[in-house]
Structure formats: structure tokens, C-alpha cells
Amino acid sequence: MDSPASRLRRVLLGILVSMVFLTSISMGDGSLVILDEDISNADNRALAFPALAAISGLLLLAIRNAGGREYGNFFLDRWVSREQEEEMMSRLILEQEEAGVEKMGGAWAELEKVHLERRLEEE
């Protein structure tokens, strides 16, 4: 299985290609005017296509450049995992075991003991 980041790369590439295509159609139709002074047919909504193309292109480049870095050091790692599915499952199982109920119960009992000792010292 692919990592979620590689799936997102494919989706972003599809969005990028389609937005570039729609931008070129808008320019050919006259809805998006770039260099001409005659803006009689210009439509401000047509600016959404190149804007979305730029955003998806920047995200695509960011995910591609993050490929060589260690997991957790990139700003998009909080939202999109770059780990393979097997690595992600083993990491999540380990985190789940570390945050187990047994350890939580011991920590809760320790907190309760400290609270009771403070209350008895005050009296």
C-alpha cells in the first residue's frame, strides 16, 4: 500500500493538471485576461483556476521535497503521513501501548496520593 502522502501527490497532480487546463481555456475564451488592455469579457471568477493551480503546485513541491527528511520534522506531517502503512501501524500500536490504561491508573493513583498528602498537611 502507498503512504497517504503519495496518494495526496497523485490527487494534487490531477488538480494541478485540470486547473492548468481550465486556465488555458479561460484565457482562450477571453474570460481571463493577462496581457491585453481590453478587459470587456474578463471574469474575476476565472482567477480561481490559476490560484488553485498555484496552491496545488506549491503543496505538490512541498510534499516532494519532504521525501528525504525524517518523519515528524516537516510541517505537513501533522496532517498527512509520509510513512508506509506497515510503519504507521507499528508506530500507532507502540503509542497505544505506551498510553495504556494500566499506566494511566498508576499515574492517577499517584496524583490522588499527592493531593491527599497536601490536604492533610494543610489541616
Side-chain angles (χ1 to χ4, degrees):
M1 281 266 182
D2 291 338
S3 67
S6 63
R7 294 178 197 157
L8 180 63
R9 262 187 286 184
R10 287 194 299 265
V11 169
L12 285 174
L13 185 62
I15 291 172
L16 178 66
V17 168
S18 62
M19 289 301 122
V20 168
F21 179 69
L22 287 173
T23 300
S24 66
I25 289 176
S26 297
M27 288 173 64
D29 184 31
S31 299
L32 182 63
V33 179
I34 295 178
L35 299 175
D36 196 13
E37 292 182 14
D38 182 25
I39 57 170
S40 59
N41 292 336
D43 187 9
N44 290 336
R45 292 178 289 177
L47 291 173
F49 300 137
L52 287 173
I55 290 170
S56 62
L58 289 174
L59 285 173
L60 185 64
L61 286 175
I63 291 174
R64 180 174 284 172
N65 288 339
R69 296 184 186 173
E70 182 180 337
Y71 180 76
N73 293 337
F74 192 61
F75 73 97
L76 286 176
D77 287 343
R78 289 179 280 170
W79 297 295
V80 180
S81 176
R82 291 182 289 130
E83 296 174 303
Q84 296 297 327
E85 193 164 340
E86 297 83 23
E87 296 172 8
M88 188 184 334
M89 289 297 290
S90 64
R91 180 181 58 84
L92 290 175
I93 289 172
L94 182 65
E95 286 179 7
Q96 191 176 27
E97 289 173 357
E98 287 176 358
V101 177
E102 298 84 20
K103 292 183 181 180
M104 186 183 297
W108 183 260
E110 187 68 29
L111 182 65
E112 186 73 23
K113 182 180 102 174
V114 168
H115 178 67
L116 287 174
E117 287 175 354
R118 286 184 186 162
R119 180 189 265 177
L120 289 174
E121 286 176 2
E122 289 176 1
E123 291 178 358

